[in-house]
Amino acid sequence: MTRDAPIPITIITGFLGSGKTTLILNLLPQLRAANPTYRLALLKNEFGDLAVDSQLASSSAIAGVSELLNGCICCNLVGQLSVALSELQSTVKPDRIVIETSGSAFPATLALEVNRLARETRGQYVLDGVVSVIDVENWKGYEDTSYTAKIQARYTDLIVFNKWEDAGERRFDECLDRLGDLEGVDTAWVKSDKGWVGMDVVFGVDGGLARGLTKTDIDHVHDDKCGHDGDKHKHDHQTEVEVLSIELKSSAEKKEGPTTVNAEKLLAFLANTSKEEVYRIKAVLTVSAKAAWEVLKNSDEDMKVSAPPTFAGEGPDTRYILNWAFGRWTFTPIWNAVKEHESSNEAILRMTMILARYESTKWKKRLEAGGLLELEGTDGKGELSVTKVN
């Protein structure tokens, strides 16, 4: 009996907002061009309880998507990895699996787990390598305070420098210098072209570092110390970010009330949110056809929002995925052919905010005070619930 070749697994990591999902979505057309029947499966992990990126990936014809929510795949969700991989293997029969970690995940622990599963399954999987994405434009803003951002760059086989075009060569050179400051780091790197990197560069990397990791390596890093204001303490990377889960719906007593988000207020909220306090905003929301046609816009004026296929904004309401990172955002329509994830289905707005440490309490109060996220209409406040997830 012929034994199937092992499924290569590529781990793509990087701090919040670095452009991991964009990198993955830009790989799919290349794979399809080389082999139209190629099946790429995505295992996505994110803090919070809203599946946004998996829906974005589903709309891009990825063969199969699974998302692990409410935790970090290298810590409290690591035990679910085996089941998730097995389900993708049996339902999708992929040629390759990409694991996209949460922005705060520690890649070495995850690589060690993949290596263990490869041995236990007698070669059903093989770790192809760990790829880390670095946001050149914003790395200076959080690298000094983020231990996780440093170790993501250290324990990787390939580094992709992203968002360098607007930052300039001088900023890029600064990132290279800072990478060189990390002890023992001599990793291959490449610059993306607005999130695009050739598939032959990302896939099939040496992977020697990731495959050679041992539990001793992991224990050494978890026992490492990092100092903040002169105080040294053991690091828990899950405390580097805080998460708010937000839902906006019509008032219970107004059964015929508005069922769409006020697009003007939403855009003002996105434009005025501090990128020093908030790292990511992800949401699924409903916008009226008129607002989608006349109001809705991406932060990049040259990147037009896909409007509903109606004339002058006449037609049904439209569902959009919102992705905000460091002051920039995009809206992507959810077409009817894409089945929406249960975490957002039928909600007028479901949002996850990923914030810097100690910022969630302040932002929870701001949101609950009103005026930032509202429904359309003369009295469109609706019912807003804001919950701190971690």
Side-chain angles (χ1 to χ4, degrees):
M1 185 173 73
T2 303
R3 183 176 179 181
D4 292 336
I7 300 173
I9 294 177
T10 300
I11 298 171
I12 296 183
T13 186
F15 200 67
L16 297 159
S18 59
K20 301 182 296 292
T21 301
T22 300
L23 174 68
I24 294 169
L25 296 182
N26 283 333
L27 290 167
L28 186 61
Q30 301 179 61
L31 293 168
R32 288 289 177 85
N35 180 358
T37 63
Y38 196 93
R39 302 180 67 81
L40 178 70
L42 173 64
L43 176 58
K44 177 77 175 70
N45 167 230
E46 192 59 270
F47 280 119
D49 55 0
L50 177 61
V52 169
D53 289 339
S54 63
Q55 298 185 63
L56 194 61
S58 294
S59 66
S60 301
I62 284 182
V65 182
S66 179
E67 188 146 12
L68 300 179
L69 303 174
N70 274 322
C72 179
I73 197 171
C74 78
C75 297
N76 57 316
L77 296 182
V78 70
Q80 299 180 28
L81 181 62
S82 176
V83 175
L85 290 176
S86 179
E87 289 180 354
L88 285 174
Q89 184 181 10
S90 60
T91 58
V92 179
K93 295 181 172 33
D95 296 295
R96 176 181 296 273
I97 297 174
V98 170
I99 300 176
E100 181 187 349
T101 71
S102 70
S104 286
F106 177 35
T109 306
L110 182 56
L112 187 69
E113 178 67 6
V114 172
N115 288 335
R116 185 187 69 81
L117 292 175
R119 292 191 301 270
E120 286 192 355
T121 59
R122 296 185 179 182
Q124 290 185 23
Y125 312 108
V126 60
L127 180 60
D128 187 37
V130 177
V131 178
S132 289
V133 183
I134 289 180
D135 173 1
V136 170
E137 186 176 8
N138 294 293
W139 198 27
K140 189 175 181 179
Y142 54 74
E143 191 265 350
D144 286 339
T145 58
S146 173
Y147 176 80
T148 299
K150 294 177 182 178
I151 61 177
Q152 282 178 345
R154 180 181 297 174
Y155 287 89
T156 188
D157 297 298
L158 174 69
I159 291 175
V160 175
F161 285 106
N162 201 26
K163 303 182 185 179
W164 60 271
E165 293 90 347
D166 294 331
E169 289 294 334
R170 184 173 180 177
R171 176 84 270 273
F172 172 70
D173 289 340
E174 290 175 1
C175 286
L176 276 182
D177 290 341
R178 303 198 101 159
L179 187 64
D181 292 338
L182 298 181
E183 182 182 354
V185 173
D186 185 17
T187 306
W189 59 266
V190 65
K191 294 161 86 173
S192 76
D193 181 4
K194 296 187 181 299
W196 187 97
V197 177
M199 64 178 184
D200 293 334
V201 176
V202 175
F203 299 139
V205 298
D206 179 12
L209 172 62
R211 286 199 300 271
L213 283 170
T214 66
K215 189 174 185 301
T216 302
D217 298 321
I218 307 301
D219 292 340
H220 171 72
V221 174
H222 277 304
D223 288 341
D224 202 356
K225 307 283 197 300
C226 64
H228 295 273
D229 300 324
D231 294 326
K232 290 191 174 183
H233 61 279
K234 286 192 175 181
H235 176 78
D236 176 4
H237 69 267
Q238 292 201 59
T239 65
E240 287 187 354
V241 296
E242 298 178 349
V243 182
L244 293 179
S245 177
I246 302 156
E247 181 171 0
L248 179 62
K249 57 185 179 181
S250 293
S251 300
E253 66 272 12
K254 296 182 179 180
K255 296 182 179 180
E256 302 299 323
T259 57
T260 55
V261 173
N262 186 317
E264 290 184 353
K265 286 188 175 293
L266 175 62
L267 288 177
F269 166 68
L270 299 177
N272 295 320
T273 295
S274 168
K275 65 180 184 179
E276 283 74 35
E277 299 174 359
V278 181
Y279 292 145
R280 295 299 304 273
I281 300 173
K282 300 182 180 184
V284 178
L285 61 144
T286 303
V287 178
S288 68
K290 188 174 189 299
W293 189 274
E294 298 177 355
V295 180
L296 211 61
K297 62 180 181 180
N298 294 320
S299 57
D300 185 349
E301 296 290 347
D302 295 331
M303 189 176 178
K304 185 176 176 59
V305 175
S306 297
T310 57
F311 176 72
E314 298 176 0
D317 301 334
T318 306
R319 296 287 276 175
Y320 281 94
I321 294 171
L322 164 66
N323 216 323
W324 182 103
F326 295 104
R328 295 180 179 177
W329 65 88
T330 57
F331 290 95
T332 303
I334 303 177
W335 305 119
N336 293 334
V338 177
K339 183 179 180 181
E340 192 164 333
H341 192 273
E342 61 182 7
S343 62
S344 61
N345 197 23
E346 298 183 358
I348 299 175
L349 179 143
R350 283 281 283 113
M351 176 180 287
T352 295
M353 289 183 69
I354 306 175
L355 308 97
R357 281 177 295 179
Y358 317 122
E359 296 291 346
S360 61
T361 300
K362 176 178 66 178
W363 274 94
K364 186 174 186 294
K365 291 179 179 179
R366 284 183 184 176
L367 290 163
E368 291 174 338
L372 297 180
L373 299 174
E374 294 188 357
L375 302 177
E376 276 191 313
T378 55
D379 183 19
K381 291 184 177 181
E383 291 184 1
L384 181 71
S385 62
V386 184
T387 305
K388 185 175 179 180
V389 177
N390 76 317

PDB file of all heavy atoms in Angstrom, residues 3 39-40 70 75 118 141 147 183 193 213 225 230 241 253 259 269 276 286 311 316 336 348 365 373 382 389:
ATOM      1  N   ARG A   3       2.069   4.823   0.838  1.00  0.00           N
ATOM      2  CA  ARG A   3       1.859   5.726   1.957  1.00  0.00           C
ATOM      3  C   ARG A   3       1.781   7.159   1.448  1.00  0.00           C
ATOM      4  O   ARG A   3       2.606   7.584   0.630  1.00  0.00           O
ATOM      5  CB  ARG A   3       3.019   5.597   2.950  1.00  0.00           C
ATOM      6  CG  ARG A   3       2.850   6.470   4.197  1.00  0.00           C
ATOM      7  CD  ARG A   3       3.983   6.213   5.151  1.00  0.00           C
ATOM      8  NE  ARG A   3       3.882   7.028   6.337  1.00  0.00           N
ATOM      9  CZ  ARG A   3       4.768   6.996   7.328  1.00  0.00           C
ATOM     10  NH1 ARG A   3       5.798   6.172   7.243  1.00  0.00           N
ATOM     11  NH2 ARG A   3       4.615   7.763   8.380  1.00  0.00           N
ATOM     12  N   ARG A  39      -5.021  22.549  -2.933  1.00  0.00           N
ATOM     13  CA  ARG A  39      -5.918  22.781  -1.801  1.00  0.00           C
ATOM     14  C   ARG A  39      -5.105  23.252  -0.597  1.00  0.00           C
ATOM     15  O   ARG A  39      -4.325  22.488  -0.012  1.00  0.00           O
ATOM     16  CB  ARG A  39      -6.699  21.511  -1.461  1.00  0.00           C
ATOM     17  CG  ARG A  39      -7.519  20.992  -2.624  1.00  0.00           C
ATOM     18  CD  ARG A  39      -8.288  19.739  -2.271  1.00  0.00           C
ATOM     19  NE  ARG A  39      -9.337  19.996  -1.285  1.00  0.00           N
ATOM     20  CZ  ARG A  39     -10.533  20.511  -1.582  1.00  0.00           C
ATOM     21  NH1 ARG A  39     -10.825  20.820  -2.829  1.00  0.00           N
ATOM     22  NH2 ARG A  39     -11.420  20.701  -0.643  1.00  0.00           N
ATOM     23  N   LEU A  40      -5.297  24.512  -0.251  1.00  0.00           N
ATOM     24  CA  LEU A  40      -4.634  25.117   0.905  1.00  0.00           C
ATOM     25  C   LEU A  40      -5.646  25.263   2.024  1.00  0.00           C
ATOM     26  O   LEU A  40      -6.716  25.851   1.842  1.00  0.00           O
ATOM     27  CB  LEU A  40      -4.055  26.478   0.538  1.00  0.00           C
ATOM     28  CG  LEU A  40      -3.379  27.250   1.675  1.00  0.00           C
ATOM     29  CD1 LEU A  40      -2.076  26.567   2.075  1.00  0.00           C
ATOM     30  CD2 LEU A  40      -3.112  28.696   1.272  1.00  0.00           C
ATOM     31  N   ASN A  70     -10.871  32.676  21.489  1.00  0.00           N
ATOM     32  CA  ASN A  70     -10.821  32.843  22.942  1.00  0.00           C
ATOM     33  C   ASN A  70      -9.587  32.218  23.577  1.00  0.00           C
ATOM     34  O   ASN A  70      -9.670  31.483  24.550  1.00  0.00           O
ATOM     35  CB  ASN A  70     -12.080  32.259  23.599  1.00  0.00           C
ATOM     36  CG  ASN A  70     -13.205  33.276  23.636  1.00  0.00           C
ATOM     37  OD1 ASN A  70     -12.957  34.460  23.863  1.00  0.00           O
ATOM     38  ND2 ASN A  70     -14.413  32.823  23.411  1.00  0.00           N
ATOM     39  N   CYS A  75      -0.697  28.256  24.109  1.00  0.00           N
ATOM     40  CA  CYS A  75      -0.882  28.094  25.565  1.00  0.00           C
ATOM     41  C   CYS A  75      -2.136  27.275  25.851  1.00  0.00           C
ATOM     42  O   CYS A  75      -2.123  26.061  25.739  1.00  0.00           O
ATOM     43  CB  CYS A  75      -0.957  29.465  26.238  1.00  0.00           C
ATOM     44  SG  CYS A  75       0.548  30.434  26.080  1.00  0.00           S
ATOM     45  N   ALA A 118       3.757  15.245  14.489  1.00  0.00           N
ATOM     46  CA  ALA A 118       4.345  14.566  13.329  1.00  0.00           C
ATOM     47  C   ALA A 118       4.893  13.201  13.724  1.00  0.00           C
ATOM     48  O   ALA A 118       4.737  12.212  12.996  1.00  0.00           O
ATOM     49  CB  ALA A 118       5.445  15.434  12.721  1.00  0.00           C
ATOM     50  N   GLY A 141       6.963  51.436  17.324  1.00  0.00           N
ATOM     51  CA  GLY A 141       5.987  51.868  18.308  1.00  0.00           C
ATOM     52  C   GLY A 141       5.749  50.888  19.431  1.00  0.00           C
ATOM     53  O   GLY A 141       5.380  51.276  20.524  1.00  0.00           O
ATOM     54  N   TYR A 147       7.784  41.912  24.648  1.00  0.00           N
ATOM     55  CA  TYR A 147       8.681  40.761  24.688  1.00  0.00           C
ATOM     56  C   TYR A 147       8.311  39.770  23.591  1.00  0.00           C
ATOM     57  O   TYR A 147       9.173  39.185  22.937  1.00  0.00           O
ATOM     58  CB  TYR A 147       8.558  40.122  26.065  1.00  0.00           C
ATOM     59  CG  TYR A 147       9.350  38.852  26.256  1.00  0.00           C
ATOM     60  CD1 TYR A 147      10.713  38.896  26.519  1.00  0.00           C
ATOM     61  CD2 TYR A 147       8.724  37.621  26.205  1.00  0.00           C
ATOM     62  CE1 TYR A 147      11.434  37.733  26.720  1.00  0.00           C
ATOM     63  CE2 TYR A 147       9.432  36.455  26.410  1.00  0.00           C
ATOM     64  CZ  TYR A 147      10.786  36.512  26.667  1.00  0.00           C
ATOM     65  OH  TYR A 147      11.487  35.370  26.868  1.00  0.00           O
ATOM     66  N   GLU A 183      20.015  38.757  20.412  1.00  0.00           N
ATOM     67  CA  GLU A 183      21.123  37.809  20.545  1.00  0.00           C
ATOM     68  C   GLU A 183      20.846  36.515  19.790  1.00  0.00           C
ATOM     69  O   GLU A 183      19.787  35.900  19.931  1.00  0.00           O
ATOM     70  CB  GLU A 183      21.363  37.499  22.028  1.00  0.00           C
ATOM     71  CG  GLU A 183      22.523  36.555  22.275  1.00  0.00           C
ATOM     72  CD  GLU A 183      22.674  36.244  23.751  1.00  0.00           C
ATOM     73  OE1 GLU A 183      21.948  36.849  24.555  1.00  0.00           O
ATOM     74  OE2 GLU A 183      23.502  35.390  24.082  1.00  0.00           O
ATOM     75  N   ASP A 193       6.035  42.956  -1.220  1.00  0.00           N
ATOM     76  CA  ASP A 193       5.566  43.990  -2.133  1.00  0.00           C
ATOM     77  C   ASP A 193       4.105  44.235  -1.810  1.00  0.00           C
ATOM     78  O   ASP A 193       3.220  43.581  -2.334  1.00  0.00           O
ATOM     79  CB  ASP A 193       5.738  43.529  -3.585  1.00  0.00           C
ATOM     80  CG  ASP A 193       5.290  44.587  -4.600  1.00  0.00           C
ATOM     81  OD1 ASP A 193       4.917  45.696  -4.180  1.00  0.00           O
ATOM     82  OD2 ASP A 193       5.311  44.298  -5.807  1.00  0.00           O
ATOM     83  N   LEU A 213      13.821  22.417  17.368  1.00  0.00           N
ATOM     84  CA  LEU A 213      13.514  22.908  18.704  1.00  0.00           C
ATOM     85  C   LEU A 213      13.240  21.754  19.658  1.00  0.00           C
ATOM     86  O   LEU A 213      12.668  20.734  19.287  1.00  0.00           O
ATOM     87  CB  LEU A 213      12.282  23.822  18.663  1.00  0.00           C
ATOM     88  CG  LEU A 213      12.505  25.237  18.137  1.00  0.00           C
ATOM     89  CD1 LEU A 213      11.166  25.926  17.914  1.00  0.00           C
ATOM     90  CD2 LEU A 213      13.361  26.047  19.098  1.00  0.00           C
ATOM     91  N   LYS A 225      13.746  36.429  31.549  1.00  0.00           N
ATOM     92  CA  LYS A 225      13.221  37.600  32.222  1.00  0.00           C
ATOM     93  C   LYS A 225      13.244  38.775  31.264  1.00  0.00           C
ATOM     94  O   LYS A 225      14.083  38.889  30.397  1.00  0.00           O
ATOM     95  CB  LYS A 225      14.091  37.957  33.449  1.00  0.00           C
ATOM     96  CG  LYS A 225      14.320  36.823  34.423  1.00  0.00           C
ATOM     97  CD  LYS A 225      13.116  36.566  35.282  1.00  0.00           C
ATOM     98  CE  LYS A 225      13.449  35.751  36.515  1.00  0.00           C
ATOM     99  NZ  LYS A 225      14.002  34.459  36.281  1.00  0.00           N
ATOM    100  N   GLY A 230      12.988  48.867  34.950  1.00  0.00           N
ATOM    101  CA  GLY A 230      13.995  48.382  35.894  1.00  0.00           C
ATOM    102  C   GLY A 230      13.570  47.181  36.689  1.00  0.00           C
ATOM    103  O   GLY A 230      14.386  46.560  37.359  1.00  0.00           O
ATOM    104  N   VAL A 241      -1.724  42.098  25.756  1.00  0.00           N
ATOM    105  CA  VAL A 241      -2.869  42.726  25.110  1.00  0.00           C
ATOM    106  C   VAL A 241      -4.120  42.491  25.951  1.00  0.00           C
ATOM    107  O   VAL A 241      -4.188  41.555  26.754  1.00  0.00           O
ATOM    108  CB  VAL A 241      -3.103  42.172  23.684  1.00  0.00           C
ATOM    109  CG1 VAL A 241      -1.925  42.499  22.787  1.00  0.00           C
ATOM    110  CG2 VAL A 241      -3.360  40.675  23.704  1.00  0.00           C
ATOM    111  N   GLU A 253     -37.416  46.899  22.534  1.00  0.00           N
ATOM    112  CA  GLU A 253     -38.790  47.383  22.431  1.00  0.00           C
ATOM    113  C   GLU A 253     -39.110  47.939  21.043  1.00  0.00           C
ATOM    114  O   GLU A 253     -40.254  48.223  20.726  1.00  0.00           O
ATOM    115  CB  GLU A 253     -39.046  48.471  23.483  1.00  0.00           C
ATOM    116  CG  GLU A 253     -38.255  49.758  23.290  1.00  0.00           C
ATOM    117  CD  GLU A 253     -36.897  49.707  23.956  1.00  0.00           C
ATOM    118  OE1 GLU A 253     -36.481  48.601  24.361  1.00  0.00           O
ATOM    119  OE2 GLU A 253     -36.267  50.776  24.082  1.00  0.00           O
ATOM    120  N   THR A 259     -31.742  48.554  11.421  1.00  0.00           N
ATOM    121  CA  THR A 259     -31.003  47.286  11.395  1.00  0.00           C
ATOM    122  C   THR A 259     -29.651  47.436  10.698  1.00  0.00           C
ATOM    123  O   THR A 259     -29.061  46.440  10.282  1.00  0.00           O
ATOM    124  CB  THR A 259     -31.822  46.207  10.662  1.00  0.00           C
ATOM    125  OG1 THR A 259     -32.121  46.667   9.337  1.00  0.00           O
ATOM    126  CG2 THR A 259     -33.111  45.902  11.405  1.00  0.00           C
ATOM    127  N   PHE A 269     -15.135  57.083  14.238  1.00  0.00           N
ATOM    128  CA  PHE A 269     -14.555  56.264  15.299  1.00  0.00           C
ATOM    129  C   PHE A 269     -13.237  55.644  14.850  1.00  0.00           C
ATOM    130  O   PHE A 269     -12.232  55.677  15.567  1.00  0.00           O
ATOM    131  CB  PHE A 269     -15.565  55.177  15.683  1.00  0.00           C
ATOM    132  CG  PHE A 269     -15.008  54.064  16.521  1.00  0.00           C
ATOM    133  CD1 PHE A 269     -14.602  54.283  17.827  1.00  0.00           C
ATOM    134  CD2 PHE A 269     -14.895  52.781  16.001  1.00  0.00           C
ATOM    135  CE1 PHE A 269     -14.087  53.247  18.599  1.00  0.00           C
ATOM    136  CE2 PHE A 269     -14.390  51.748  16.758  1.00  0.00           C
ATOM    137  CZ  PHE A 269     -13.984  51.983  18.062  1.00  0.00           C
ATOM    138  N   GLU A 276      -1.693  54.023  19.353  1.00  0.00           N
ATOM    139  CA  GLU A 276      -0.849  53.690  20.499  1.00  0.00           C
ATOM    140  C   GLU A 276      -1.631  52.924  21.559  1.00  0.00           C
ATOM    141  O   GLU A 276      -1.066  52.167  22.338  1.00  0.00           O
ATOM    142  CB  GLU A 276      -0.263  54.963  21.123  1.00  0.00           C
ATOM    143  CG  GLU A 276       0.907  55.569  20.361  1.00  0.00           C
ATOM    144  CD  GLU A 276       0.462  56.263  19.085  1.00  0.00           C
ATOM    145  OE1 GLU A 276      -0.653  56.852  19.092  1.00  0.00           O
ATOM    146  OE2 GLU A 276       1.202  56.210  18.091  1.00  0.00           O
ATOM    147  N   THR A 286     -23.500  45.239   9.338  1.00  0.00           N
ATOM    148  CA  THR A 286     -24.457  45.471   8.260  1.00  0.00           C
ATOM    149  C   THR A 286     -24.540  46.964   7.970  1.00  0.00           C
ATOM    150  O   THR A 286     -24.704  47.768   8.890  1.00  0.00           O
ATOM    151  CB  THR A 286     -25.851  44.944   8.633  1.00  0.00           C
ATOM    152  OG1 THR A 286     -25.771  43.554   8.946  1.00  0.00           O
ATOM    153  CG2 THR A 286     -26.830  45.137   7.487  1.00  0.00           C
ATOM    154  N   PHE A 311     -27.827  50.109  -8.178  1.00  0.00           N
ATOM    155  CA  PHE A 311     -27.687  51.431  -8.783  1.00  0.00           C
ATOM    156  C   PHE A 311     -27.942  52.511  -7.737  1.00  0.00           C
ATOM    157  O   PHE A 311     -28.980  52.541  -7.088  1.00  0.00           O
ATOM    158  CB  PHE A 311     -28.665  51.591  -9.947  1.00  0.00           C
ATOM    159  CG  PHE A 311     -28.645  52.974 -10.554  1.00  0.00           C
ATOM    160  CD1 PHE A 311     -27.559  53.379 -11.320  1.00  0.00           C
ATOM    161  CD2 PHE A 311     -29.684  53.863 -10.327  1.00  0.00           C
ATOM    162  CE1 PHE A 311     -27.520  54.648 -11.873  1.00  0.00           C
ATOM    163  CE2 PHE A 311     -29.642  55.128 -10.874  1.00  0.00           C
ATOM    164  CZ  PHE A 311     -28.568  55.534 -11.653  1.00  0.00           C
ATOM    165  N   PRO A 316     -30.693  45.908  -1.232  1.00  0.00           N
ATOM    166  CA  PRO A 316     -30.665  45.339   0.118  1.00  0.00           C
ATOM    167  C   PRO A 316     -29.454  45.816   0.918  1.00  0.00           C
ATOM    168  O   PRO A 316     -28.461  46.292   0.360  1.00  0.00           O
ATOM    169  CB  PRO A 316     -30.595  43.833  -0.156  1.00  0.00           C
ATOM    170  CG  PRO A 316     -29.911  43.731  -1.487  1.00  0.00           C
ATOM    171  CD  PRO A 316     -30.389  44.915  -2.269  1.00  0.00           C
ATOM    172  N   ASN A 336     -23.253  36.672  -0.629  1.00  0.00           N
ATOM    173  CA  ASN A 336     -24.277  35.717  -0.183  1.00  0.00           C
ATOM    174  C   ASN A 336     -23.798  34.277  -0.249  1.00  0.00           C
ATOM    175  O   ASN A 336     -24.268  33.421   0.512  1.00  0.00           O
ATOM    176  CB  ASN A 336     -25.545  35.874  -1.030  1.00  0.00           C
ATOM    177  CG  ASN A 336     -26.237  37.204  -0.794  1.00  0.00           C
ATOM    178  OD1 ASN A 336     -26.094  37.786   0.283  1.00  0.00           O
ATOM    179  ND2 ASN A 336     -26.969  37.690  -1.787  1.00  0.00           N
ATOM    180  N   ILE A 348     -26.130  42.887  13.990  1.00  0.00           N
ATOM    181  CA  ILE A 348     -25.953  44.099  13.191  1.00  0.00           C
ATOM    182  C   ILE A 348     -24.488  44.511  13.209  1.00  0.00           C
ATOM    183  O   ILE A 348     -23.929  44.882  12.186  1.00  0.00           O
ATOM    184  CB  ILE A 348     -26.848  45.235  13.725  1.00  0.00           C
ATOM    185  CG1 ILE A 348     -28.320  44.838  13.632  1.00  0.00           C
ATOM    186  CG2 ILE A 348     -26.602  46.527  12.937  1.00  0.00           C
ATOM    187  CD1 ILE A 348     -29.268  45.842  14.240  1.00  0.00           C
ATOM    188  N   LYS A 365     -15.454  52.232  28.950  1.00  0.00           N
ATOM    189  CA  LYS A 365     -16.254  53.368  29.428  1.00  0.00           C
ATOM    190  C   LYS A 365     -16.591  54.318  28.284  1.00  0.00           C
ATOM    191  O   LYS A 365     -17.712  54.843  28.202  1.00  0.00           O
ATOM    192  CB  LYS A 365     -15.507  54.105  30.535  1.00  0.00           C
ATOM    193  CG  LYS A 365     -15.382  53.320  31.830  1.00  0.00           C
ATOM    194  CD  LYS A 365     -14.606  54.100  32.877  1.00  0.00           C
ATOM    195  CE  LYS A 365     -14.501  53.323  34.183  1.00  0.00           C
ATOM    196  NZ  LYS A 365     -13.715  54.069  35.202  1.00  0.00           N
ATOM    197  N   LEU A 373     -20.395  54.210  18.434  1.00  0.00           N
ATOM    198  CA  LEU A 373     -20.986  53.169  17.598  1.00  0.00           C
ATOM    199  C   LEU A 373     -22.496  53.225  17.754  1.00  0.00           C
ATOM    200  O   LEU A 373     -23.025  52.978  18.844  1.00  0.00           O
ATOM    201  CB  LEU A 373     -20.466  51.787  18.002  1.00  0.00           C
ATOM    202  CG  LEU A 373     -18.957  51.565  17.881  1.00  0.00           C
ATOM    203  CD1 LEU A 373     -18.574  50.207  18.462  1.00  0.00           C
ATOM    204  CD2 LEU A 373     -18.505  51.665  16.435  1.00  0.00           C
ATOM    205  N   GLY A 382     -29.557  52.221  19.816  1.00  0.00           N
ATOM    206  CA  GLY A 382     -29.638  50.775  19.937  1.00  0.00           C
ATOM    207  C   GLY A 382     -29.162  50.279  21.296  1.00  0.00           C
ATOM    208  O   GLY A 382     -29.075  51.030  22.272  1.00  0.00           O
ATOM    209  N   VAL A 389     -12.874  40.475  27.462  1.00  0.00           N
ATOM    210  CA  VAL A 389     -12.632  39.048  27.275  1.00  0.00           C
ATOM    211  C   VAL A 389     -11.444  38.593  28.072  1.00  0.00           C
ATOM    212  O   VAL A 389     -11.429  37.524  28.681  1.00  0.00           O
ATOM    213  CB  VAL A 389     -12.448  38.728  25.782  1.00  0.00           C
ATOM    214  CG1 VAL A 389     -12.130  37.240  25.591  1.00  0.00           C
ATOM    215  CG2 VAL A 389     -13.701  39.104  25.001  1.00  0.00           C
TER     216      VAL A 389
END
